Amino acid sequence: MAEGSGFVEHAVDGDVHVLRIANPPVNTLRTEVRAGLLDGLRAAQKAGARAVVLIGSGRGFSAGAEMTEFGKPRQPPSLPDVFDAIEASDAPVVAAIHGNALGGGLELALACHARVASPGGQLGLPEVKRGFVPGAGGTQRLPRLIGLEALRMIVSGEPVTAEEAQRLGFVDAVLQGELEKAAVAWARDAAASGRRFALARDRTDKIQGQGMAAFDAAAQKLLARSRGQESPKGCVEAVRAAFTLPFEEGLKRERDLFQTLVSGEQSKALRHVFFGEREAQRVPGVPADTKPLPVQRLVVIGGGTMGGGIAMSAANFGLPVTMVETSAEALGKGLNRCRANWQRTVDSGRLKPEEMERRSALLKGSTDFDAAVREADLVVEAVFEDMAVKKEIFGRLDKVARPGAVLASNTSTLDIDEIASATSRPELVCGMHFFSPANVMRLLEIVRGAKTSAQTLATAMDVGKRIGKLNVVVGNCDGFVGNRMTGKRGPQVEKLLLEGALPQDIDRVMEAYGMAMGPLATGDLAGLDIGAAVRKARGTVAPIADAIVAKGRFGQKTGAGYYRYDENRKRQPDPEVEKIILDVAEKMQVRRRKIEDSEILERLLLPMVNEGARILEEGIAARPVDIDVVFVNGFGWPAWRGGPMFWADSLGLEQVRDKLAHYAEATGDPNLRPAPLIERLAAEGGSFATMKAPAQAA
Ligand code: NAD
């Protein structure tokens, strides 16, 4: 027998009732599901069920609350209403988990009398990553089941597998075979055995006698990485309540923290990025049903910094890859760098030796360009940044690669259309712009050339996804989205140094804002000689940067750049740099003054926002949120700040326009004149969030 609301199916298997959540694709706990669960529990109770099994249909148990219901008037019943009914049930309610049990989904399972699970899966409370705390008792029940380990799970938001959950103590049994059948049998046996189930809320054994010193030490360690973000601190406070307050009071504390955080700016920013990352996968001109070409072997041309990282990314995710180099020596170096990198991870205990073996076996090397390329379904070229070299390589790729193979370039600045013109298959050419280190950074800008086909883009996106990257499709221009925007920050860095700031002032302001690393420390890490070479090629100057490079200060690799570095590569402000800066300012007759932190922040962020607006006008990015996703995933922008365009919106575009106009005037930098899009939106009282996306060429 099966009936129910449509969102919860109710089946009866002898004396055990089964409530099956059926809200595809991921069984979020929308209003109808909560109502269906409540009805089902009442009906099972009325029918005298011996036990009730809660299970998810489809891919998993439940991915949690329906986030689109946030911020709207709440419809009853609430999750706590459902949990009250579970906890009041005479018959034990057993959650049967397969796949994901996340957020509210796991909280539902924690309110049950017992939990069983299929092997694997992901069980966790990721709310912290959306800027709030679990809001339906998760922070009170999980510690009562597993003690201090709950703090780590809740503050990090990282899920665990069913096996790990069993080891920690919040899954009672991992069951093999078909889960519903096995769970019904398990519940029936358990009920028949007269086993007494202790509800999480009634347990005290894991939280009593817990010295709070251990709690504080664990909390401090966990919070060390979260800096300005509020939700990890909120999680610590909520879990602390589990250890120090009675259950009901703890729930109230959790609820208060949830309400405060969920309505705050940080949570709004984190949800903006979360939904933005999904939105970015919908690409104008690439219908959702576009079939990617099958890619079974990737060939990477060049085994340098980027080629090595790209090859590692592929092998890390099980995609066979060949690295091509010009000589046996260069190839050996490239392959060794990959192996040494994996070995370091093994040595640190974060990678199993057999996993390293598996990855190494997927990575081959070759100095026979033609033979290697013939086997490729996708080629990513990562040789020197030189148009003549790239065109020569693409001409050769076109001759050797099988028809239908996709040819991509990792160029940071060069024109994809010109590169494609060296081939007879421009529709199969695109950019795949990885970020350094390519095996670590999640961002992948996929560059659409004038002739790139939808299928080529879909193929690059499919491979990007398979190797753990976050794709953003961008248009063809110098620097694409990320580098083009940060490029507009550079002149302001120079001017600020000249007018009165020191490197440590600029980096302090940006790091206090939440950036992983300030722009000058980042320059030192990347190598100041790279920027100098670009300026030389373009015939531009940056008096202070040039003076620093002229002293042989190339950054970390020479032990000195904008800072001095000790043997542990720890940076120190350097009086010599201050002297260089003062000398240049004097020579240029600039009177230095004290510059406020707010001015530093605005002069670094506003030029990026302004260029972002131009990027939108030109259709280089399809949506403002695509730009934010680029910065969060590729440039160390804290997700809880939402990205540059989100920042501009929270400032208000009228303010953005006025401040840009002011700084354009004050600094004589024409780049700071407000972009027409900002002028228009500000005049209309609009924002980036609500603007209509410009039509994008297919
Ligand atoms: P790199 O100098 O470290 O490596 C280039 C490698 O290509 C060298 O090992 C060289 O031997 C090899 N090579 C040259 N010609 C070749 C050929 N005909 N066949 C096979 N191999 C050949 O340079 P990199 O930093 O890895 O940059 C590579 C590309 O990636 C450039 O286009 C660059 O703009 C782009 N990129 C670099 C970064 C970065 O941070 N380094 C980031 C994104 C994109």
Side-chain angles (χ1 to χ4, degrees), residues 232-468:
K233 293 188 196 95
C235 287
V236 166
E237 286 322 301
V239 177
R240 185 189 300 281
F243 285 94
T244 53
L245 297 177
F247 184 73
E248 289 296 339
E249 281 176 47
L251 279 187
K252 192 171 167 313
R253 179 92 186 98
E254 176 196 84
R255 193 81 216 151
D256 289 346
L257 285 161
F258 173 82
Q259 295 291 12
T260 309
L261 288 169
V262 85
S263 52
E265 191 70 5
Q266 291 196 2
S267 175
K268 205 173 136 203
L270 284 160
R271 279 177 283 152
H272 166 77
V273 173
F274 177 73
F275 287 116
E277 288 181 356
R278 292 182 180 185
E279 181 76 9
Q281 307 317 305
R282 284 193 280 278
V283 180
V286 183
D289 58 359
T290 310
K291 252 186 111 68
L293 296 159
V295 174
Q296 268 138 31
R297 176 163 295 275
L298 172 69
V299 169
V300 180
I301 311 291
T305 312
M306 295 308 289
I310 297 166
M312 284 179 74
S313 296
N316 288 352
F317 286 87
L319 177 62
V321 53
T322 312
M323 176 190 285
V324 177
E325 262 292 352
T326 45
S327 68
E329 196 197 340
L331 180 62
K333 250 181 155 170
L335 292 173
N336 280 338
R337 232 195 337 253
C338 298
R339 292 197 193 109
N341 214 317
W342 281 321
Q343 188 60 52
R344 267 198 302 280
T345 323
V346 170
D347 294 344
S348 72
R350 283 176 293 133
L351 186 71
K352 292 203 180 94
E354 55 272 26
E355 177 57 19
M356 172 169 166
E357 283 309 308
R358 200 184 62 82
R359 294 177 182 189
S360 304
L362 288 168
L363 171 62
K364 342 194 255 195
S366 174
T367 51
D368 186 340
F369 186 100
D370 291 3
V373 167
R374 258 184 233 116
E375 289 187 346
D377 303 305
L378 167 68
V379 178
V380 177
E381 164 279 314
V383 306
F384 310 123
E385 188 76 338
D386 178 317
M387 183 56 95
V389 176
K390 304 237 183 216
K391 280 175 90 166
E392 195 209 315
I393 288 184
F394 271 75
R396 203 159 139 204
L397 287 173
D398 187 39
K399 286 203 184 71
V400 192
R402 65 166 181 75
V406 170
L407 310 179
S409 172
N410 183 48
T411 178
S412 318
T413 54
L414 300 175
D415 181 351
I416 289 293
D417 292 333
E418 193 177 342
I419 293 175
S421 74
T423 74
S424 63
R425 54 174 107 184
E427 70 286 358
L428 284 160
V429 177
C430 67
M432 286 180 80
H433 184 217
F434 292 83
F435 288 74
S436 183
N439 54 311
V440 176
M441 297 302 290
R442 200 168 161 234
L443 177 63
L444 174 59
E445 284 182 338
I446 295 176
V447 187
R448 182 201 305 246
K451 297 189 178 156
T452 307
S453 73
Q455 193 167 39
T456 297
L457 289 176
T459 306
M461 290 179 77
D462 178 53
V463 171
K465 189 171 169 206
R466 280 166 61 194
I467 64 174

